[in-house]
């Protein structure tokens, strides 16, 4: 149960970081001319990830969360930790990009996306992979729960 709570807290942290990144990305795409299309794709991918994680968090916080198997929590921990690390690193890069003492330098930095196209596309791919891993872990848990219920029903019918 403690693992489930810890996982839910990590997910909420990721959702918060994702919201901050999306806000910066949206500001960048609305204020800069000729912004890279991959920034928009990255923002969309992070919004999708945030939606998936919101659903996972709600599932974990549900009254039936105790039914969540220890194996599935262990399977989710890896992708969730990787997601937190990736998004935290990106958030730090973006914060550094728009911070500074000189107002004019800050304004100039806000118009330039800090990552190269290849880096941004790699990040989009990694986030997509993390989403698939989270989905697979949830599917594995669902299969475990379904087979457990089937065995229980068969045992009661005998």
């Amino acid at each position: 149960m403690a693992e489930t709570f810890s996982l839910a807290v990590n997910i909420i942290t990721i959702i918060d970081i994702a919201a901050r990144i999306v806000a910066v990305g949206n500001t960048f795409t609305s204020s800069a001319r000729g912004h890279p299309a991959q920034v928009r794709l990255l923002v969309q991918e992070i919004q999708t990830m945030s939606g998936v994680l919101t659903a996972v968090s709600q599932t974990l916080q549900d009254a039936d969360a105790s039914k969540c198997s220890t194996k599935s929590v262990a399977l989710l921990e890896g992708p969730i930790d990787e997601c937190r690390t990736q998004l935290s690193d990106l958030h730090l890069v973006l914060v550094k990009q728009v911070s500074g003492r000189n107002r004019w330098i800050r304004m100039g930095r806000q118009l330039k996306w800090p990552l190269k196209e290849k880096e941004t596309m790699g990040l989009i791919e990694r986030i997509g992979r993390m989403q698939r891993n989270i989905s697979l872990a949830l599917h594995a848990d669902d299969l475990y729960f379904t087979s457990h219920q089937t065995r229980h029903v068969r045992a009661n019918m005998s």
Side-chain angles (χ1 to χ4, degrees):
M1 189 67 164
E3 298 90 11
T4 304
F5 178 74
S6 173
L7 191 62
V9 169
N10 273 339
I11 290 171
I12 291 168
T13 302
I14 294 168
I15 292 169
D16 180 56
I17 295 169
R20 293 174 195 208
I21 293 170
V22 166
V24 171
N26 285 335
T27 299
F28 173 80
T29 58
S30 67
S31 66
R33 280 192 183 179
H35 62 277
Q38 70 268 16
V39 175
R40 209 173 314 141
L41 289 173
L42 178 63
V43 167
Q44 290 172 348
E45 197 70 28
I46 290 173
Q47 286 175 321
T48 302
M49 173 66 89
S50 184
V52 167
L53 291 175
T54 299
V56 171
S57 176
Q58 289 170 347
T59 300
L60 291 174
Q61 292 174 10
D62 192 18
D64 293 333
S66 60
K67 296 178 184 174
C68 190
S69 74
T70 306
K71 286 183 182 181
S72 66
V73 170
L75 287 173
L76 282 169
E77 283 177 342
I80 296 296
D81 285 342
E82 183 183 357
C83 184
R84 183 176 36 82
T85 301
Q86 291 289 320
L87 293 184
S88 294
D89 291 350
L90 176 59
H91 184 251
L92 285 175
V93 167
L94 295 176
V95 166
K96 286 180 184 177
Q97 180 74 9
V98 297
S99 65
R101 291 184 180 193
N102 187 319
R103 180 177 149 209
W104 295 108
I105 292 174
R106 267 195 330 262
M107 287 174 58
R109 285 181 181 170
Q110 289 174 351
L111 296 177
K112 184 178 182 304
W113 183 249
L115 301 176
K116 295 179 181 174
E117 181 177 356
K118 189 174 181 179
E119 293 171 316
T120 304
M121 294 308 290
L123 190 56
I124 291 169
E125 289 176 26
R126 285 191 301 274
I127 291 171
R129 187 180 64 245
M130 287 179 266
Q131 286 180 41
R132 288 188 297 278
N133 288 344
I134 290 168
S135 294
L136 287 172
L138 291 173
H139 183 68
D141 184 56
D142 189 41
L143 287 174
Y144 170 80
F145 186 68
T146 302
S147 68
H148 180 70
Q149 282 184 325
T150 303
R151 281 191 300 257
H152 182 43
V153 167
R154 285 183 184 160
N156 287 337
M157 292 178 75
S158 299

